[in-house]
Amino acid sequence: MVAQIIFVLLVVAGTALFAFNARKVIRNIKLGRAANRSDKPQQRLMTMLKVAFGQTKMAVRPVPFLLHLVVYLGFVIINLEVLEIVIDGIFGTHRVFAGLGGLYNFLIGSFELLAAGVWLACAIFLLRRNVVKLKRFSGVEMKSWPKSDANYILITEILLMSAFLLMNAADAKLQTLGVAHYQQAGAFPVSTLLLGLLPDSVNTLIFIERFCWWFHIVGIFGFLNYLPYSKHFHIMLAFPNTYFSNLNPKGEFTNMDSVTNEVKAMLDPSFVPAETAPGKFGAKDIQDLTWVNLLNAYTCTECGRCTSVCPANMTGKLLSPRKIMMDTRDRTEEVGKNIDKHGADHQDGKSLLDDYITREEIWACTSCNACTEACPVNIDPLGIIVELRRYAVMEESVAPASINAMLGNVENNGAPWKYSPADRFNWAQEDQ
Amino acid sequence: MEFKVPTMAELMAAGEEPEILFWVGCAGSYDERAQKITRDICKILHHVGLKYAVLGTEESCTGDPAKRAGNEFLFQMQAMTNIEVLNAYNIKKIVTGCPHCFNTIKNEYPGLGGTYEVIHHSQLIQDLINEGKLKAEGGESFKGKKITYHDPCYLGRGNGVYEAPRKALEVLDAELVEMKRCKANGLCCGAGGAQMFKEPEKGNKDVNIERIEEALATEPQFIAAGCPFCMTMLNDGVKLKDKEQEVKVLDIAEITARANGL
């Protein structure tokens, strides 16, 4: 009975804490400006099913695709087992779904195979990061916390899967010994291989079984509450992120309505613009970005596919699209913490541009869209870079000198170079 | 040129309308290398007898480099002025000689009041081949020649046009070789996002060198381009690698014109 009460408290506290932190993340995402992504619901749903659920963009790199697929399927399917664990925990039952008979045996057997797969995949992932040291997982932004974060996730998953398998092994042995409460149920294709490791004492076996059971479920609730602080949040946010992703051609940049009004008024003095909220042009800080940009930032799992295909990054420039996303998330978190501590109007004198992302980074971008193409969950680093450039150019008039010269030429000559508009048609002259 | 390139103003004065407007673009108008491509596009249009016109001195920058550099004001000023001209001439269909003009007019002008059917010149060539109006005969033979095609970002990833330029090359009976990074995975030439107009940031290599090394690895006789900015970057790369004698960088339009003896 005491165990049941503790269990219920654990479930309630674990869920409540997660809800509390998730709401904070949602509040932070809503710090961004409005953006309409409620159009074309059917196409959005299909995009989500294909890209997030179906993992289509992962397939470009077959090795990580297969390993990730095992972990992904393991995560989704083994969580069916959590349902049974929760019911058992609340009511003090043991393997409450055992009545399903053959189907139950099939399910438990499948979970075991998947668990072994997840264990192996995570071990390979750890090797890829720490022993093989793949270039994609290094870079200036992948020091300290981001590096540890990835390892914590993988080690936790290995521990959870180990506990799950060891629990089953102890259970299987207790079942064969005919210990009361441990009814005959389940099939254990993997954990039977661990039987040799187990002692024969019934009490020790029960201790191992119970310990692993508690470790597994406490671990799951702990992991759940780790998500909002971690890059691993992508396991949830990948779905809304792909649903709300950009459906327009990648080459298309947004037209700024606020600018349209001013330009129309300039070209036609009789034009009366519709009321629009005053605001700055472009983005200096995260509140100037849209909520989609901020959702992107929280969704990023720092896999580095964007950075590895970025022409600026691969030729040694400072720009890394992954860093753009990580900086945006870090700054959003910082602004959120300021609100918690000092209230909504607090200014800390810092901003995304300059304190996190430098001018050198934003001007190195070729806007080639390799990063958005490479992202397995449709994150758009280019959208943020463009907003930062807009702020620099339109609010501050600060740009590289040659860019200013180009802009001056477009304005005065209708071409980015210093040629006379009168000469524009010279290419067609008779003597050419 | 052997024929006169018609302008919209002239057609309007004669009470005529063209089937298609050829949007030349700034590079196509002023850059010496790109002017050749512009004239070849006109030769193709003239050769197939398509009724076309250009804006001549009434054309102005689409505003693309300003927009990519973050100057939305300047972009919209350019866009609205251009749209006024295009709408006054009742333009319905536009072919551009540049993927940046193509992307801007096709995607960013509709929201500002300028809606047209916009195609890139490689798509025009593909259409003409499909309609049987254009073949590869009467000119230089590219049969068996090794050609590799470089995808411009704003044509490929930006707008999903991968097949049209390849179709224009396939008709030559040449040996098409793909670079390691092609189509959706194509590597930028380094000029996009207004980089064309500035020095690159500090790094250990120029983007066009990275790209030209990949192109040269296919051991081509020709590198095919579809964008005047890529053309500049690729040409510079070939020069830097001292390969000007062995490898020629040509636009899809130039190759088509050559193959047809235009």
Side-chain angles (χ1 to χ4, degrees), chain A residues 10 47 70 87 95 98 116 122 124 138 147 188 200 209 248 271 275 281 289 298 366 372 384 420 424 432:
Chain A
L10 170 79
T47 307
V70 171
I87 295 175
R95 297 197 181 267
C122 289
I124 297 172
S138 64
K147 190 176 157 73
F188 307 103
D200 294 323
E209 194 275 332
N248 294 330
F271 173 78
E275 282 291 313
F281 296 117
L289 295 169
Y298 274 103
T366 68
T372 64
I384 295 175
S420 163
R424 198 176 178 96
Q432 293 288 334

mmCIF file of all heavy atoms in Angstrom, chain A residues 10 47 70 87 95 98 116 122 124 138 147 188 200 209 248 271 275 281 289 298 366 372 384 420 424 432:
data_model
loop_
_atom_site.group_PDB
_atom_site.id
_atom_site.type_symbol
_atom_site.label_atom_id
_atom_site.label_comp_id
_atom_site.label_asym_id
_atom_site.label_seq_id
_atom_site.Cartn_x
_atom_site.Cartn_y
_atom_site.Cartn_z
ATOM 1 N N LEU A 10 4.454 9.972 -7.165
ATOM 2 C CA LEU A 10 5.490 10.123 -8.181
ATOM 3 C C LEU A 10 4.885 10.494 -9.535
ATOM 4 O O LEU A 10 5.355 11.426 -10.215
ATOM 5 C CB LEU A 10 6.283 8.817 -8.299
ATOM 6 C CG LEU A 10 7.231 8.752 -9.492
ATOM 7 C CD1 LEU A 10 8.504 9.530 -9.209
ATOM 8 C CD2 LEU A 10 7.568 7.319 -9.869
ATOM 9 N N THR A 47 2.677 16.984 -44.275
ATOM 10 C CA THR A 47 4.100 17.287 -44.032
ATOM 11 C C THR A 47 4.552 16.686 -42.710
ATOM 12 O O THR A 47 5.611 16.068 -42.610
ATOM 13 C CB THR A 47 4.321 18.821 -44.016
ATOM 14 O OG1 THR A 47 3.789 19.361 -45.207
ATOM 15 C CG2 THR A 47 5.795 19.159 -43.906
ATOM 16 N N VAL A 70 15.568 2.710 -35.074
ATOM 17 C CA VAL A 70 15.425 1.714 -34.002
ATOM 18 C C VAL A 70 15.084 2.409 -32.679
ATOM 19 O O VAL A 70 14.158 2.017 -31.963
ATOM 20 C CB VAL A 70 16.725 0.883 -33.857
ATOM 21 C CG1 VAL A 70 16.670 0.005 -32.621
ATOM 22 C CG2 VAL A 70 16.952 0.025 -35.096
ATOM 23 N N ILE A 87 -0.445 1.252 -14.455
ATOM 24 C CA ILE A 87 -1.617 0.571 -13.859
ATOM 25 C C ILE A 87 -1.169 -0.353 -12.727
ATOM 26 O O ILE A 87 -1.744 -0.331 -11.622
ATOM 27 C CB ILE A 87 -2.398 -0.212 -14.939
ATOM 28 C CG1 ILE A 87 -2.985 0.770 -15.963
ATOM 29 C CG2 ILE A 87 -3.531 -1.031 -14.291
ATOM 30 C CD1 ILE A 87 -3.669 0.117 -17.129
ATOM 31 N N ARG A 95 1.835 -7.259 -13.910
ATOM 32 C CA ARG A 95 1.573 -7.598 -15.313
ATOM 33 C C ARG A 95 0.077 -7.750 -15.556
ATOM 34 O O ARG A 95 -0.422 -8.827 -15.877
ATOM 35 C CB ARG A 95 2.334 -8.865 -15.715
ATOM 36 C CG ARG A 95 3.854 -8.666 -15.620
ATOM 37 C CD ARG A 95 4.613 -9.719 -16.388
ATOM 38 N NE ARG A 95 6.056 -9.523 -16.266
ATOM 39 C CZ ARG A 95 6.782 -8.802 -17.151
ATOM 40 N NH1 ARG A 95 6.203 -8.246 -18.175
ATOM 41 N NH2 ARG A 95 8.082 -8.674 -16.970
ATOM 42 N N ALA A 98 -1.520 -9.431 -18.580
ATOM 43 C CA ALA A 98 -1.149 -10.824 -18.867
ATOM 44 C C ALA A 98 -2.311 -11.616 -19.445
ATOM 45 O O ALA A 98 -2.113 -12.579 -20.198
ATOM 46 C CB ALA A 98 -0.629 -11.492 -17.603
ATOM 47 N N ALA A 116 16.717 -4.213 -26.830
ATOM 48 C CA ALA A 116 18.098 -4.597 -27.141
ATOM 49 C C ALA A 116 18.618 -3.760 -28.310
ATOM 50 O O ALA A 116 19.770 -3.301 -28.309
ATOM 51 C CB ALA A 116 18.161 -6.081 -27.487
ATOM 52 N N CYS A 122 22.161 3.082 -29.148
ATOM 53 C CA CYS A 122 22.681 4.160 -28.292
ATOM 54 C C CYS A 122 24.173 3.971 -28.030
ATOM 55 O O CYS A 122 24.929 4.946 -27.987
ATOM 56 C CB CYS A 122 21.917 4.232 -26.970
ATOM 57 S SG CYS A 122 20.252 4.862 -27.174
ATOM 58 N N ILE A 124 26.265 2.593 -30.082
ATOM 59 C CA ILE A 124 26.956 3.007 -31.311
ATOM 60 C C ILE A 124 26.979 4.537 -31.424
ATOM 61 O O ILE A 124 27.988 5.127 -31.793
ATOM 62 C CB ILE A 124 26.291 2.369 -32.561
ATOM 63 C CG1 ILE A 124 26.415 0.841 -32.499
ATOM 64 C CG2 ILE A 124 26.913 2.905 -33.851
ATOM 65 C CD1 ILE A 124 25.624 0.103 -33.569
ATOM 66 N N SER A 138 31.189 18.097 -33.691
ATOM 67 C CA SER A 138 32.110 19.053 -33.059
ATOM 68 C C SER A 138 31.778 20.451 -33.567
ATOM 69 O O SER A 138 30.747 20.668 -34.177
ATOM 70 C CB SER A 138 33.551 18.675 -33.370
ATOM 71 O OG SER A 138 33.773 18.781 -34.758
ATOM 72 N N LYS A 147 27.577 19.174 -25.429
ATOM 73 C CA LYS A 147 28.301 17.915 -25.577
ATOM 74 C C LYS A 147 27.849 16.924 -24.484
ATOM 75 O O LYS A 147 27.536 15.771 -24.769
ATOM 76 C CB LYS A 147 29.804 18.178 -25.451
ATOM 77 C CG LYS A 147 30.676 17.007 -25.827
ATOM 78 C CD LYS A 147 32.145 17.470 -25.745
ATOM 79 C CE LYS A 147 33.082 16.306 -25.557
ATOM 80 N NZ LYS A 147 33.274 15.485 -26.721
ATOM 81 N N PHE A 188 10.436 -13.871 -23.221
ATOM 82 C CA PHE A 188 11.647 -13.110 -22.903
ATOM 83 C C PHE A 188 12.835 -13.530 -23.767
ATOM 84 O O PHE A 188 13.810 -14.091 -23.275
ATOM 85 C CB PHE A 188 11.983 -13.285 -21.415
ATOM 86 C CG PHE A 188 10.824 -12.950 -20.510
ATOM 87 C CD1 PHE A 188 10.063 -13.953 -19.917
ATOM 88 C CD2 PHE A 188 10.483 -11.620 -20.277
ATOM 89 C CE1 PHE A 188 8.981 -13.637 -19.098
ATOM 90 C CE2 PHE A 188 9.401 -11.298 -19.452
ATOM 91 C CZ PHE A 188 8.646 -12.308 -18.863
ATOM 92 N N ASP A 200 20.381 -17.086 -7.204
ATOM 93 C CA ASP A 200 19.259 -18.028 -7.072
ATOM 94 C C ASP A 200 18.327 -17.659 -5.925
ATOM 95 O O ASP A 200 17.207 -18.155 -5.845
ATOM 96 C CB ASP A 200 19.793 -19.452 -6.864
ATOM 97 C CG ASP A 200 20.521 -19.941 -8.113
ATOM 98 O OD1 ASP A 200 20.054 -19.602 -9.227
ATOM 99 O OD2 ASP A 200 21.558 -20.617 -7.965
ATOM 100 N N GLU A 209 14.168 -7.396 -9.217
ATOM 101 C CA GLU A 209 13.001 -7.131 -10.065
ATOM 102 C C GLU A 209 12.349 -5.813 -9.670
ATOM 103 O O GLU A 209 12.050 -4.965 -10.523
ATOM 104 C CB GLU A 209 12.010 -8.296 -9.951
ATOM 105 C CG GLU A 209 10.923 -8.310 -11.018
ATOM 106 C CD GLU A 209 9.724 -7.445 -10.672
ATOM 107 O OE1 GLU A 209 9.436 -7.256 -9.476
ATOM 108 O OE2 GLU A 209 9.080 -6.948 -11.615
ATOM 109 N N ASN A 248 6.124 27.374 -48.376
ATOM 110 C CA ASN A 248 6.391 28.119 -49.612
ATOM 111 C C ASN A 248 7.705 27.658 -50.232
ATOM 112 O O ASN A 248 8.501 26.999 -49.564
ATOM 113 C CB ASN A 248 6.472 29.617 -49.308
ATOM 114 C CG ASN A 248 5.134 30.167 -48.838
ATOM 115 O OD1 ASN A 248 4.084 29.655 -49.230
ATOM 116 N ND2 ASN A 248 5.168 31.162 -47.985
ATOM 117 N N PHE A 271 -2.340 57.472 -50.895
ATOM 118 C CA PHE A 271 -2.561 56.169 -50.254
ATOM 119 C C PHE A 271 -2.664 56.315 -48.736
ATOM 120 O O PHE A 271 -1.825 56.951 -48.098
ATOM 121 C CB PHE A 271 -1.413 55.223 -50.615
ATOM 122 C CG PHE A 271 -1.440 53.905 -49.878
ATOM 123 C CD1 PHE A 271 -2.312 52.896 -50.266
ATOM 124 C CD2 PHE A 271 -0.603 53.689 -48.781
ATOM 125 C CE1 PHE A 271 -2.329 51.679 -49.584
ATOM 126 C CE2 PHE A 271 -0.634 52.481 -48.100
ATOM 127 C CZ PHE A 271 -1.498 51.479 -48.501
ATOM 128 N N GLU A 275 -4.097 50.564 -40.445
ATOM 129 C CA GLU A 275 -3.439 50.664 -39.132
ATOM 130 C C GLU A 275 -2.570 49.432 -38.887
ATOM 131 O O GLU A 275 -3.052 48.309 -38.983
ATOM 132 C CB GLU A 275 -4.494 50.761 -38.033
ATOM 133 C CG GLU A 275 -5.113 52.137 -37.887
ATOM 134 C CD GLU A 275 -4.151 53.185 -37.349
ATOM 135 O OE1 GLU A 275 -3.467 52.893 -36.347
ATOM 136 O OE2 GLU A 275 -4.076 54.276 -37.948
ATOM 137 N N PHE A 281 11.973 47.219 -37.571
ATOM 138 C CA PHE A 281 12.154 46.405 -38.770
ATOM 139 C C PHE A 281 13.210 45.348 -38.485
ATOM 140 O O PHE A 281 14.289 45.668 -38.005
ATOM 141 C CB PHE A 281 12.586 47.279 -39.945
ATOM 142 C CG PHE A 281 11.544 48.280 -40.349
ATOM 143 C CD1 PHE A 281 11.796 49.644 -40.242
ATOM 144 C CD2 PHE A 281 10.304 47.862 -40.828
ATOM 145 C CE1 PHE A 281 10.829 50.563 -40.613
ATOM 146 C CE2 PHE A 281 9.344 48.786 -41.200
ATOM 147 C CZ PHE A 281 9.596 50.143 -41.091
ATOM 148 N N LEU A 289 11.627 38.154 -33.394
ATOM 149 C CA LEU A 289 11.457 37.004 -34.292
ATOM 150 C C LEU A 289 10.027 36.509 -34.161
ATOM 151 O O LEU A 289 9.288 36.941 -33.278
ATOM 152 C CB LEU A 289 12.436 35.889 -33.896
ATOM 153 C CG LEU A 289 13.922 36.208 -34.056
ATOM 154 C CD1 LEU A 289 14.763 35.127 -33.386
ATOM 155 C CD2 LEU A 289 14.287 36.320 -35.530
ATOM 156 N N TYR A 298 13.621 25.642 -30.078
ATOM 157 C CA TYR A 298 13.395 24.624 -29.043
ATOM 158 C C TYR A 298 13.370 23.213 -29.635
ATOM 159 O O TYR A 298 13.583 22.236 -28.928
ATOM 160 C CB TYR A 298 12.077 24.897 -28.307
ATOM 161 C CG TYR A 298 12.220 25.869 -27.166
ATOM 162 C CD1 TYR A 298 11.807 27.191 -27.284
ATOM 163 C CD2 TYR A 298 12.788 25.465 -25.955
ATOM 164 C CE1 TYR A 298 11.947 28.083 -26.232
ATOM 165 C CE2 TYR A 298 12.928 26.345 -24.900
ATOM 166 C CZ TYR A 298 12.508 27.657 -25.034
ATOM 167 O OH TYR A 298 12.658 28.527 -23.998
ATOM 168 N N THR A 366 25.128 32.675 -47.568
ATOM 169 C CA THR A 366 24.870 32.831 -49.004
ATOM 170 C C THR A 366 23.387 32.629 -49.316
ATOM 171 O O THR A 366 22.999 32.615 -50.468
ATOM 172 C CB THR A 366 25.688 31.831 -49.852
ATOM 173 O OG1 THR A 366 25.177 30.516 -49.592
ATOM 174 C CG2 THR A 366 27.161 31.861 -49.510
ATOM 175 N N THR A 372 18.271 24.501 -44.603
ATOM 176 C CA THR A 372 16.849 24.172 -44.445
ATOM 177 C C THR A 372 16.517 22.857 -45.147
ATOM 178 O O THR A 372 15.662 22.111 -44.699
ATOM 179 C CB THR A 372 15.949 25.291 -45.003
ATOM 180 O OG1 THR A 372 16.167 25.402 -46.408
ATOM 181 C CG2 THR A 372 16.255 26.619 -44.344
ATOM 182 N N ILE A 384 15.964 33.331 -39.580
ATOM 183 C CA ILE A 384 16.483 34.149 -38.480
ATOM 184 C C ILE A 384 17.601 35.065 -38.979
ATOM 185 O O ILE A 384 17.636 36.258 -38.667
ATOM 186 C CB ILE A 384 16.982 33.242 -37.329
ATOM 187 C CG1 ILE A 384 15.795 32.474 -36.735
ATOM 188 C CG2 ILE A 384 17.699 34.067 -36.255
ATOM 189 C CD1 ILE A 384 16.160 31.462 -35.668
ATOM 190 N N SER A 420 25.193 53.252 -65.856
ATOM 191 C CA SER A 420 24.083 54.162 -66.127
ATOM 192 C C SER A 420 22.868 53.376 -66.631
ATOM 193 O O SER A 420 23.001 52.501 -67.483
ATOM 194 C CB SER A 420 24.503 55.181 -67.178
ATOM 195 O OG SER A 420 23.347 55.791 -67.707
ATOM 196 N N ARG A 424 21.580 50.334 -70.266
ATOM 197 C CA ARG A 424 21.074 49.001 -69.928
ATOM 198 C C ARG A 424 20.783 48.133 -71.161
ATOM 199 O O ARG A 424 20.811 46.907 -71.080
ATOM 200 C CB ARG A 424 19.809 49.123 -69.075
ATOM 201 C CG ARG A 424 19.488 47.854 -68.330
ATOM 202 C CD ARG A 424 18.294 48.007 -67.406
ATOM 203 N NE ARG A 424 18.024 46.728 -66.752
ATOM 204 C CZ ARG A 424 18.457 46.390 -65.544
ATOM 205 N NH1 ARG A 424 19.151 47.238 -64.822
ATOM 206 N NH2 ARG A 424 18.194 45.207 -65.049
ATOM 207 N N GLN A 432 27.380 44.195 -81.775
ATOM 208 C CA GLN A 432 27.727 43.165 -80.791
ATOM 209 C C GLN A 432 27.746 41.778 -81.447
ATOM 210 O O GLN A 432 26.926 41.461 -82.257
ATOM 211 C CB GLN A 432 26.706 43.165 -79.634
ATOM 212 C CG GLN A 432 26.761 44.424 -78.781
ATOM 213 C CD GLN A 432 27.982 44.489 -77.910
ATOM 214 O OE1 GLN A 432 28.557 43.469 -77.559
ATOM 215 N NE2 GLN A 432 28.427 45.692 -77.582
#
